Amino acid sequence: LVGLSVRNNEFARRFHKALVLMNLNPHTYVSNLRGKPLYNVTAYSKRLFLWLKNLTLPDVEELLHGNNLELDFVRGFFDAEGCYFKFNDRGYQVHGLSFTNTNLKLMDLLRRCLDKFGFSNKIIKVKQSSNFPNCKPYYYRLAFSWRTANKLFSLLRGGYD
């Protein structure tokens, strides 16, 4: 089973489209959560399980670039591995946006997708805190300053309020 439940109809429609591109037969329905619509998309498939199990990064790239799904990939990556932050530092408001992951090749794919939309930056290798003994000793970060972060966050939200 693969599924998605979101408040934004457009996001659900894009997810539905991605499943159709994978030759699945998704089921879409609307439910109610606290008086507001919740858009649900589900698909059942042994073939999907086997496809995901054998999925490679070149497969993901081909799927993204061949179907103009780069922005959807960036949105999903941000949802899973991203952070938009805002805090006060000595009287100044600090804003930023970052993506983190331990897979450098995946981060490079993300960087190339962001480049397509005019958001270029370097991937930084960061040493992991010793407070997390079961984690890899390092991770990778792609971060953006406040002005760029606000523009990128607006692109990611893209009417998905």
Side-chain angles (χ1 to χ4, degrees):
L1 168 70
V2 62
L4 172 77
S5 295
V6 292
R7 292 200 183 276
N8 184 277
N9 188 24
E10 177 63 21
F11 192 83
R13 284 187 339 93
R14 300 283 301 192
F15 185 71
H16 183 275
K17 177 185 172 187
L19 294 178
V20 168
L21 288 170
M22 295 181 333
N23 294 319
L24 296 178
N25 187 20
H27 172 65
T28 303
Y29 61 97
V30 180
S31 61
N32 193 323
L33 181 65
R34 294 186 204 114
K36 295 183 180 179
L38 189 65
Y39 301 93
N40 304 277
V41 182
T42 59
Y44 299 90
S45 174
K46 180 178 178 182
R47 194 176 76 224
L48 175 63
F49 169 77
L50 295 173
W51 182 79
L52 288 171
K53 183 179 175 185
N54 296 308
L55 188 65
T56 65
L57 204 53
D59 294 334
V60 172
E61 289 186 70
E62 184 180 330
L63 182 65
L64 294 178
H65 302 312
N67 297 290
N68 291 321
L69 295 173
E70 291 90 345
L71 184 56
D72 294 307
F73 173 75
V74 173
R75 285 178 173 143
F77 202 100
F78 179 75
D79 189 40
E81 306 285 349
C83 175
Y84 181 81
F85 54 88
K86 178 179 168 181
F87 62 90
N88 286 319
D89 182 22
R90 291 172 273 161
Y92 295 97
Q93 284 230 339
V94 178
H95 299 256
L97 188 146
S98 68
F99 299 87
T100 58
N101 196 282
T102 57
N103 184 321
L104 180 59
K105 290 180 181 180
L106 189 59
M107 289 296 287
D108 188 57
L109 174 59
L110 173 68
R111 183 193 55 76
R112 286 182 279 129
C113 288
L114 286 165
D115 281 348
K116 181 177 178 177
F117 299 102
F119 296 98
S120 300
N121 211 342
K122 293 183 208 170
I123 298 170
I124 302 165
K125 187 175 183 177
V126 179
K127 185 177 179 184
Q128 184 74 264
S129 167
S130 61
N131 295 338
F132 304 104
N134 296 329
C135 294
K136 290 186 177 182
Y138 56 87
Y139 61 92
Y140 300 96
R141 175 183 292 149
L142 190 57
F144 297 90
S145 65
W146 72 272
R147 192 167 275 146
T148 304
N150 286 336
K151 290 177 185 174
L152 178 53
F153 192 61
S154 291
L155 177 70
L156 294 175
R157 286 178 44 196
Y160 287 175
D161 289 333

